[in-house]
Amino acid sequence: MKMKGIFISILLIVCVHITTMAQTDSVARYNNRAAALLAQDDLINARDCFKKAYSFTSDQMHEERIIIAINLSSILIDLAEYSEANDYLSKADQLIKTAPDIDSILKSELDYQRSSLMMAVGESGEAVGLLESMIQTLNADSHLYHPVTRSLLEAYMEDGRYEKVVHKADTVLRTSNTSDSLYFSRIMARAFVKMGKKSEAMKHLAVSDDVYSRVPQTILQTAQQKRLQGEVNERFGDYATAYDAYQQAATLLTGYLGNGHPE
């Protein structure tokens, strides 16, 4: 009887180990599939795969749950599924609070996505406050520094703080790489459009055109550049040029219809 008891205990341990390995493999498999779908800009199927990955996580997989919840919330925000995005952010927040050994960078990632949700539901003022506090704690070499800066600039734009957009973007533009320079030159053009300053808007549109010519020209990059050309020319009365630019952007984005991409 004693030997039988030992055998059953060992068997239970082995079964638990096998189950845990199967869960880990399932999480990794669906995570990898979601990443591949994201690379194809297929947000709807990527969302479903992240949900599958989350469902396979165990109570002990704190970090995996937090990371998946944050990634999933990002997609849900893009798909305008805001209530569900908030649910996953709340789950991640609760896990971070109850797991003190979790890497602090995940808290920053969580706040970054929370600011995106604030922006999406029209709370740009609240987003500005959160993002400004984040910027103060991030080093310029942090992988979050430029994404948070971009979000802060978008929040300034939504909140009508165009002078702040120009000042901040101009400062960061001087130390950014080519890809980031494209974004900062674009948002400066948009800010000057909002302020009605044609010469400055056209100048930064020309800068963005130049930078764009030196980056990998994906369909999305081209569509975004065409859309910017449309915005600037429309604001200053060149409707024929604006119409042509918008039409080209719309044609380029036709292939993204049906997969939930925010563009």
Side-chain angles (χ1 to χ4, degrees):
M1 291 296 293
K2 186 177 180 181
M3 287 299 293
K4 183 179 179 182
I6 292 172
F7 174 75
I8 292 173
S9 297
I10 293 172
L11 184 61
L12 285 172
I13 292 170
V14 171
C15 287
V16 169
H17 182 64
I18 291 172
T19 302
T20 302
M21 287 180 63
Q23 284 180 306
T24 303
D25 288 345
S26 295
V27 170
R29 183 170 69 255
Y30 281 106
N31 253 331
N32 291 338
R33 191 176 298 172
L37 289 164
L38 276 178
Q40 300 168 21
D41 295 306
D42 187 344
L43 271 64
I44 291 175
N45 286 314
R47 173 202 61 193
D48 295 342
C49 282
F50 272 131
K51 284 185 178 181
K52 282 279 190 180
Y54 191 90
S55 71
F56 279 109
T57 57
S58 67
D59 292 339
Q60 290 72 41
M61 299 170 73
H62 292 149
E63 187 166 322
E64 289 85 350
R65 277 189 174 176
I66 293 168
I67 292 171
I68 295 170
I70 291 172
N71 287 335
L72 182 51
S73 68
S74 176
I75 295 175
L76 290 167
I77 292 168
D78 282 341
L79 293 172
E81 298 174 7
Y82 303 134
S83 178
E84 196 170 6
N86 187 58
D87 289 343
Y88 277 100
L89 288 174
S90 296
K91 290 175 182 178
D93 187 40
Q94 188 59 36
L95 283 170
I96 289 173
K97 288 177 179 176
T98 57
D101 57 329
I102 292 295
D103 193 333
S104 61
I105 195 66
L106 289 180
K107 179 64 168 65
S108 296
E109 297 276 7
L110 175 65
D111 285 342
Y112 175 55
Q113 291 305 327
R114 184 175 283 122
S115 72
S116 297
L117 181 58
M118 290 174 178
M119 288 282 292
V121 298
E123 298 174 353
S124 56
E126 292 83 347
V128 165
L130 177 57
L131 291 163
E132 284 183 336
S133 66
M134 288 185 69
I135 282 290
Q136 293 172 6
T137 64
L138 292 172
N139 296 321
D141 59 352
S142 167
H143 76 281
L144 275 176
Y145 182 78
H146 279 109
V148 170
T149 300
R150 291 185 180 200
S151 291
L152 178 57
L153 292 172
E154 294 291 348
Y156 282 150
M157 285 289 292
E158 289 295 321
D159 215 37
R161 307 185 195 186
Y162 307 126
E163 294 286 354
K164 275 186 168 288
V165 173
V166 170
H167 176 72
K168 183 68 176 177
D170 185 51
T171 301
V172 183
L173 181 61
R174 300 170 191 173
T175 58
S176 59
N177 60 32
T178 303
S179 178
D180 286 317
S181 294
L182 180 58
Y183 173 82
F184 294 126
S185 59
R186 281 173 174 171
I187 200 165
M188 288 177 76
R190 289 170 53 206
F192 281 119
V193 164
K194 292 292 187 181
M195 290 188 282
K197 297 184 177 181
K198 181 177 181 179
S199 62
E200 291 293 336
M202 297 302 289
K203 169 187 170 184
H204 287 285
L205 174 60
V207 171
S208 70
D209 283 338
D210 177 63
V211 178
Y212 162 74
S213 69
R214 294 183 277 113
V215 300
Q217 296 176 9
T218 64
I219 290 175
L220 280 178
Q221 284 284 25
T222 303
Q224 288 166 354
Q225 194 64 21
K226 292 296 180 183
R227 186 175 65 182
L228 176 63
Q229 291 167 1
E231 290 175 10
V232 176
N233 285 285
E234 179 186 12
R235 173 63 178 80
F236 298 113
D238 188 348
Y239 301 118
T241 301
Y243 176 82
D244 184 57
Y246 284 141
Q247 189 176 53
Q248 290 181 59
T251 300
L252 286 166
L253 293 172
T254 301
Y256 289 88
L257 294 174
N259 64 8
H261 197 281
E263 292 292 341

